[in-house]
Amino acid sequence: MKRFLLRAFIICLVVFQLWNLIILLNPPVKSEMVRYGTIENSEEYDGLIIRDEKVLMSDSSGVLENAVSENDMVKKGKHVASVYAGSVDSETQAKLKQINARIAEISGSQGGNFIFDGDKTKIDGQISTRVSDMMVSLNSKDLQNVAKLKGDLNVLINKKLEISGEVGSGATMLNDLKNQKERYEQQLSSSKKNLYAPTPGIYSTLIDGYEQILGSSSANTMTVEGFKNIYDSKETVQEGAEVPVCKIVNNIEWYASMLVGSEKASEMKIGQTVYIKIGESANEYVATVSYISPVDGKKCIVTVTATEYSEEALKNRKTSITLITDKYTGIKIPVEAIRVNNGVQGVYTVTEGLMKFKTADIVYKDNKYAIVRENTADRGSVLLYDEVVIDAKEVGENIPMK
């Protein structure tokens, strides 16, 4: 008998726990407190980054020596690089390139403006930040960023050593490298050609062969066919008597041309303010619609113009571009909570244990959420921090919460 009672007790306990679990996972009433939020009307497209660029040429191939850093702002006439052209043996070329890269690294040209002269505490903080960033990049397998962060760390560590007066400081290593550089330059039997910026802008050594094809004029005249031809083609660097080695990029404005469906393009207009994101970057840039092409096969080219500085725009040419045409901010409510009562759109809220209907002036909605205009003067409309009913066995005015 005792065994039977024990089994019955265990069975009842299991059933009770299962019932509680079912209630927990499937509450009689599902509700949510509403808060402020933003919904974006966005979509991702194939895109081309277009810039006005002046390419600097060399009479022949050789060793490029940067006089300024990558992505540095330069004035017209600024000495930006030198080319050791002519008969240079490959071993000497390789050594000179390595030394130039190391000099740039130690002097801080690859690390940006993060050096705080004489302030060890700030330098230690910068070192700690870059170590953390490097761990994140390693976990995400972003080897390009790891290499950049490693260069930053070397600069910071060398600066710290220099401030501390320790042997092997950045200044000592830099002097040694400069002496080596001078010896290798003296060994070169070729001539040295200095290159100067023909216009003000940003210095870059990223040559892809589209510099002469993609500029401000093509950004606002491109056809669907022309876009596809460029997007599907392989990057090529022009060949000839002169070799392209670096360029000066217009930093005043740049363009993003996208292959957009004609229906979406018809909703847009010239002069409209939009927002774009380039590739996987979370950085968002304000832009203006500057061109919409004629329709071709239910497709259009939409070009937007931006003036904000963007490293993504400098590094990329063919890339995915997220176009955000609208942003709506207000009270954010799950679409499931929206209901119609006597022809009026609104939501049911939880008020003193009872369901109460409140109107909702919907500004915009997608498949998951709606943005509702707040009206604090009307107590009969949904307000911030109201608890709205999303799901329940029975929904209606004055129905008690169970």
Side-chain angles (χ1 to χ4, degrees), residues 202-321:
I202 296 173
Y203 176 74
S204 174
T205 56
L206 298 176
I207 305 293
D208 57 20
Y210 295 108
E211 286 80 11
Q212 306 299 333
I213 302 171
L214 296 175
S216 54
S217 58
S218 61
N220 296 317
T221 57
M222 187 172 294
T223 63
V224 171
E225 182 181 4
F227 178 96
K228 290 180 177 179
N229 288 338
I230 294 173
Y231 198 86
D232 295 337
S233 66
K234 293 182 179 180
E235 296 181 357
T236 57
V237 179
Q238 66 186 74
E239 297 180 358
E242 293 187 316
V243 179
V245 290
C246 56
K247 62 188 178 184
I248 305 299
V249 183
N250 182 315
N251 65 302
I252 303 300
E253 60 184 14
W254 49 274
Y255 313 87
S257 291
M258 294 157 282
L259 186 63
V260 178
S262 56
E263 185 175 345
K264 178 65 177 180
S266 66
E267 299 172 2
M268 305 173 70
K269 60 182 180 180
I270 304 298
Q272 177 181 345
T273 298
V274 295
Y275 308 86
I276 59 172
K277 296 178 183 179
I278 300 173
E280 299 298 321
S281 173
N283 294 331
E284 191 174 283
Y285 303 99
V286 180
T288 304
V289 177
S290 55
Y291 170 73
I292 301 174
S293 77
V295 178
D296 182 356
K298 295 185 179 180
K299 294 289 185 178
C300 288
I301 300 302
V302 173
T303 298
V304 300
T305 303
T307 56
E308 294 180 88
Y309 175 80
S310 166
E311 284 195 18
E312 293 87 4
L314 288 170
K315 295 177 180 178
N316 290 281
R317 180 72 75 183
K318 303 173 185 179
T319 181
S320 61
I321 297 177

Side-chain angles (χ1 to χ4, degrees), residues 69 104-105 107-115 126 130 148 151-153 155-156:
S69 303
E105 184 180 284
S107 62
S109 62
Q110 301 298 324
N113 299 320
F114 52 79
I115 297 296
Q126 290 286 342
R130 275 157 179 77
K148 178 183 180 301
D152 290 356
L153 277 173
V155 175
L156 289 163

Side-chain angles (χ1 to χ4, degrees), residues 325-339:
T325 51
D326 297 287
K327 287 185 177 184
Y328 303 92
T329 301
I331 296 177
K332 191 175 180 180
I333 297 175
V335 169
E336 299 170 282
I338 299 171
R339 293 177 171 83

Side-chain angles (χ1 to χ4, degrees), residues 42-161:
S42 64
E43 196 165 343
E44 188 176 287
Y45 302 101
D46 290 338
L48 293 172
I49 302 299
I50 301 174
R51 310 170 289 254
D52 280 327
E53 301 164 307
K54 296 289 186 180
V55 178
L56 279 65
M57 313 292 286
S58 171
D59 295 335
S60 60
S61 61
V63 178
L64 176 69
E65 178 184 61
N66 294 322
V68 296
S69 303
E70 188 77 11
N71 296 340
D72 262 5
M73 292 275 296
V74 297
K75 297 179 179 179
K76 180 179 179 180
K78 171 72 175 178
H79 174 214
V80 293
S82 297
V83 177
Y84 292 91
S87 176
V88 185
D89 68 271
S90 58
E91 184 179 353
T92 304
Q93 286 189 21
K95 289 181 179 178
L96 186 57
K97 285 181 180 179
Q98 291 174 1
I99 290 173
N100 285 335
R102 186 62 176 144
I103 289 173
E105 184 180 284
I106 292 177
S107 62
S109 62
Q110 301 298 324
N113 299 320
F114 52 79
I115 297 296
F116 299 91
D117 290 336
D119 194 329
K120 290 176 61 178
T121 302
K122 289 183 179 180
I123 292 177
D124 285 337
Q126 290 286 342
I127 290 173
S128 177
T129 299
R130 275 157 179 77
V131 169
S132 298
D133 290 345
M134 186 179 289
M135 294 302 295
V136 172
S137 296
L138 282 169
N139 289 333
S140 61
K141 298 182 180 180
D142 186 354
L143 299 182
Q144 183 176 359
N145 198 42
V146 169
K148 178 183 180 301
L149 291 168
K150 183 179 178 182
D152 290 356
L153 277 173
N154 286 335
V155 175
L156 289 163
I157 291 170
N158 287 329
K159 186 63 180 179
K160 183 178 178 180
L161 288 171

